[in-house]
Amino acid sequence: MVGGSLERNRAVGERARGGAISTNTSVTMELRDVTLQDNQLVGPFGQGGAMYINEDVMLQTDGVCALHNNAAEFGGAVAMHDARVTLENCSITGNSATQYDGGAIYAVATGNAALRINASTVSNNR
């Protein structure tokens, strides 16, 4: 995705994933100059208020990436499971894990997962 924003989206239901974006296996995704804000998951065990990134997915940001005011029970902004994620030039602020862990990012790794955060601001997440 190049340019634009994904705002005020909701995923509803038990174990819902990714308020704005949800990926599954074997995908490469790039976000460039994108804002994801005010997205949320409603329901028990929801993961990734803005994004849920799953198994063998490679996500990379380029340009300016903003993840603001997203909410989920796990991973207010991002939940990732066995994925390779690089967040560069990102602002990750004001996100909330409403019930469990990862105000900004919730990560589970059992295989070749990696999380890299470069030249970014991560603040005021809870």
Side-chain angles (χ1 to χ4, degrees):
M1 179 175 179
V2 178
S5 64
L6 297 170
E7 301 179 32
R8 293 179 297 281
N9 297 289
R10 289 176 61 164
V12 179
E14 186 173 336
R15 300 189 192 284
R17 295 177 174 172
I21 297 171
S22 182
T23 65
N24 212 339
T25 59
S26 303
V27 173
T28 298
M29 184 169 66
E30 182 177 343
L31 300 176
R32 183 180 308 151
D33 300 322
V34 172
T35 298
L36 288 92
Q37 71 180 22
D38 300 322
N39 300 291
Q40 71 179 61
L41 296 179
V42 178
F45 309 108
Q47 298 181 35
M51 293 187 286
Y52 176 79
I53 313 298
N54 196 20
E55 298 177 34
D56 292 327
V57 171
M58 185 169 168
L59 167 68
Q60 183 165 345
T61 62
D62 189 16
V64 176
C65 169
L67 301 168
H68 299 284
N69 302 318
N70 301 287
E73 287 198 357
F74 291 88
V78 177
M80 56 180 278
H81 291 255
D82 290 330
R84 293 178 308 279
V85 175
T86 300
L87 300 173
E88 192 157 341
N89 297 317
C90 282
S91 170
I92 305 169
T93 62
N95 301 287
S96 302
T98 58
Q99 194 71 19
Y100 299 103
D101 299 327
I105 299 168
Y106 175 75
V108 175
T110 58
N112 293 324
L115 172 61
R116 292 178 183 86
I117 301 174
N118 302 316
S120 296
T121 300
V122 180
S123 65
N124 297 318
N125 299 284
R126 53 186 168 96

